[in-house]
Amino acid sequence: MATHYDTLRWTAAAPAPGSLSDPSRAILGPRRDALVFWGAPLVAFLAVELWLDGWALAAPHDAASVAIKGMFAVIAITTWAHLIAVVPRAYGNRTVFAAHRGKLTVAPIALIATLFLSPIALVAASVLAVFWDVYHSAMQNFGFARIYDMKAGNPPELLRKTDLRLNTLLYVGPLAAGAALATHLQSFAKFDHTALATLASVPGVLAGYNTGIRAAALLAYAIVLVWAILDYRQAMRAGYRLPAHKVATLVSTGAVSILAWGFTPPIVALAVINLYHAVQYFALVWVKEGGRMTQALGGRQGRTMLYFWGGCILFGLAYAAAMTGSVRVFLAPFIACSLLHFWYDSFIWSVARKHV
């Protein structure tokens, strides 16, 4: 039977509906989503590895050392800088602020005051920030998966619990199974010489269970992955449309999580994860709040970008200075900002309310 192939072929001007090249399913557009959203994990991994290997192979040891240390410093500052990027969304968006006025006013004052007044609360908050950051990073990946579901027209509650389990284990599983777990647990050493000094022994105690923890993490990873496949299979039989962008997000995030946490030194893994996490967040805030910020500043986008990016970077530099300083109390507002950032993100973005 003859077919009119030319009339069916998808072109750049008319991409296949639902494909990665379909602009209606993207957040910023096919190419930019591939760079700063679903493809950001792979881009960050390749960028970090190429930078490390390139300088190690092509430059004298001293020059390579400076370049590599510089990369880690830039990524650290960028990571701290993105924490304050939540402000335009939480406080500049009138709808968001009105919906959460009490949380956005009383809680910050109470938290900062507590961390200033209580040294042990500051230590506990700094340890909490390490582990909350892990969960927060997993939830950002979950959020992008849900946004792509929304853009594909899927109901907001469909597969939500499945995605929560899947995105958590895609990120936490390889971390718990690799050497990075010990690095995260070392944060408990901060409790030494405090009233909770017993907690400083947690890393040493858990070190004796490394094999069991690794086995449990791998088993949980396998169970959740198979569980998700079965849930998706059932949903698709009932009419669920699996978005290509969501698949790309899950594959990209899962692959980089395994590669980074499982096969690179913890400091490199942290650099990769923090880099793509910050890039995704900056891009999301700008695409959702950039227009509002620009309008508030007289319609001049260049000036708005300078204030936004410049203010965030200055905060990142201040955070770095506080981290390297000898006066611990100066860390209080920055640790508070970390916790508030993680907490705010749990309610100022909502796919169910189409508040993204």
Side-chain angles (χ1 to χ4, degrees):
M1 182 175 68
T3 58
H4 299 287
Y5 176 79
D6 287 341
T7 65
L8 299 175
R9 183 175 56 199
W10 300 107
T11 66
S19 69
L20 290 176
S21 58
D22 183 354
S24 69
R25 299 293 179 86
I27 299 171
L28 275 173
R31 293 181 180 178
R32 286 181 289 179
D33 272 26
L35 183 63
V36 300
F37 288 135
W38 65 261
L42 288 172
V43 173
F45 182 81
L46 291 174
V48 170
E49 288 295 327
L50 288 173
W51 185 271
L52 294 175
D53 293 342
W55 280 99
L57 292 174
H61 175 75
D62 290 344
S65 179
V66 171
I68 290 171
K69 289 179 180 177
M71 180 201 73
F72 286 121
V74 168
I75 292 176
I77 291 169
T78 303
T79 301
W80 290 320
H82 99 281
L83 296 173
I84 202 69
V86 72
V87 169
R89 176 69 175 183
Y91 295 95
N93 186 311
R94 293 182 179 180
T95 302
V96 172
F97 184 76
H100 308 286
R101 188 184 303 272
K103 294 178 182 178
L104 296 171
T105 54
V106 177
I109 296 172
L111 178 60
I112 294 173
T114 300
L115 299 189
F116 264 123
L117 297 173
S118 173
I120 195 167
L122 179 60
V123 171
S126 66
V127 174
L128 174 61
V130 171
F131 294 93
W132 198 348
D133 187 30
V134 172
Y135 178 74
H136 167 73
S137 297
M139 289 303 97
Q140 180 163 294
N141 299 328
F142 163 77
F144 282 115
R146 302 306 294 167
I147 289 173
Y148 285 129
D149 253 339
M150 179 187 71
K151 295 186 76 66
N154 293 315
E157 294 300 323
L158 184 61
L159 293 172
R160 186 178 187 278
K161 292 182 179 178
T162 299
D163 284 346
L164 275 171
R165 291 190 297 265
L166 181 58
N167 281 278
T168 300
L169 263 295
L170 283 177
Y171 187 85
V172 177
L175 187 157
L181 177 61
T183 301
H184 285 71
L185 290 174
Q186 283 303 316
S187 62
F188 278 94
K190 297 176 183 178
F191 283 111
D192 200 16
H193 305 300
T194 72
L196 299 176
T198 304
L199 293 175
S201 64
V202 168
V205 173
L206 293 182
Y209 299 94
N210 278 345
T211 302
I213 293 173
R214 183 175 298 109
L218 292 174
L219 179 61
Y221 190 95
I223 290 173
V224 169
L225 187 60
V226 172
W227 191 356
I229 291 173
L230 294 176
D231 283 352
Y232 270 85
R233 183 180 179 184
Q234 182 179 3
M236 291 173 72
R237 284 178 173 175
Y240 171 74
R241 293 165 291 182
L242 180 59
H245 291 80
K246 182 178 181 178
V247 174
T249 299
L250 295 173
V251 171
S252 175
T253 301
V256 169
S257 185
I258 292 172
L259 290 172
W261 295 127
F263 298 97
T264 68
I267 189 174
V268 175
L270 284 168
V272 170
I273 302 301
N274 285 335
L275 177 59
Y276 85 69
H277 177 86
V279 167
Q280 287 178 331
Y281 197 81
F282 275 126
L284 182 63
V285 171
W286 182 256
V287 73
K288 296 301 180 182
E289 301 299 331
R292 187 175 288 105
M293 287 189 285
T294 300
Q295 185 178 10
L297 292 174
R300 298 178 61 179
Q301 189 178 67
R303 183 171 65 178
T304 303
M305 294 180 70
L306 176 63
Y307 287 166
F308 176 60
W309 303 110
C312 290
I313 295 301
L314 287 175
F315 177 85
L317 291 170
Y319 204 134
M323 287 289 290
T324 56
S326 58
V327 182
R328 181 175 293 182
V329 73
F330 288 162
L331 267 175
F334 297 100
I335 297 298
C337 184
S338 295
L339 297 181
L340 291 170
H341 172 87
F342 303 152
W343 184 47
Y344 286 1
D345 274 0
S346 69
F347 60 81
I348 65 172
W349 309 96
S350 174
V351 172
R353 295 190 299 269
K354 293 187 176 181
H355 209 191
V356 289

